[in-house]
């Protein structure tokens, strides 16, 4: 039991670390901005879901692949694919429906922290 738990944590740590390593390499070796790197990771999740490779990776990596923004891209694509079975309008709206909970939490927590804490500029 303990070895199984350690194995799971190890896989999550390894795969999440690889995602972070790729992001750090992109920061250090390219002139890509942080926003472009985030979009690249998001689109990676979309593409992996569209071609059917995300689920096998997720079975191995668990939260190591679903927690980064790659998982958000997968959720958007999965919702759009589900909506596409119904119609064009649903293909456009089901992606957002699939991630509505996460987006709502991000907005609410962002608002709460903005009210509770005073932001400071980097130069101060």
């Amino acid at each position: 039991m303990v070895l199984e738990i350690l194995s799971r944590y190890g896989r999550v740590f390894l795969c999440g670390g690889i995602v972070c390593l790729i992001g750090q390499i992109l920061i250090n070796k390219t002139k890509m901005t942080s926003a472009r790197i985030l979009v690249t990771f998001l689109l990676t999740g979309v593409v992996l879901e569209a071609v059917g490779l995300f689920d096998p990776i997720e079975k191995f990596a668990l939260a190591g692949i679903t927690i980064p923004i790659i998982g958000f891209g997968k959720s958007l694509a999965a919702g759009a694919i589900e909506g596409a079975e119904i119609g064009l309008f649903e293909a456009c709206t089901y992606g957002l429906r699939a991630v509505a909970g996460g987006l709502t939490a991000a907005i609410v927590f962002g608002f709460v922290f903005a009210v509770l804490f005073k932001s400071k500029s980097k130069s101060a």
Side-chain angles (χ1 to χ4, degrees), residues 3-124:
L3 287 176
E4 180 182 337
I5 292 171
L6 289 175
S7 171
R8 283 179 163 223
Y9 281 113
R11 287 183 289 157
V12 169
F13 182 78
L14 175 71
C15 296
I18 289 171
V19 170
C20 292
L21 175 69
I22 292 168
Q24 192 64 49
I25 289 170
L26 290 173
I27 290 169
N28 292 346
K29 300 293 182 184
T30 69
K31 294 185 183 210
M32 291 176 71
T33 63
S34 299
R36 287 186 183 202
I37 293 170
L38 285 173
V39 169
T40 300
F41 280 153
L42 182 116
L43 291 176
T44 300
V46 169
V47 170
L48 288 174
E49 177 65 18
V51 298
L53 291 176
F54 195 91
D55 288 335
I57 294 170
E58 183 181 20
K59 284 182 182 172
F60 176 78
L62 304 169
I65 196 75
T66 58
I67 296 301
I69 196 156
I70 296 171
F72 183 75
K74 181 258 187 205
S75 297
L76 279 171
I81 291 168
E82 179 185 341
E85 296 171 357
I86 300 169
L88 180 62
F89 179 75
E90 287 79 8
C92 296
T93 59
Y94 272 45
L96 288 176
R97 182 182 290 186
V99 297
L103 287 175
T104 302
I107 292 167
V108 169
F109 287 128
F111 176 76
V112 168
F113 283 106
V115 169
L116 294 177
F117 301 101
K118 184 178 179 192
S119 63
K120 300 174 188 166
S121 66
K122 288 185 176 184
S123 62

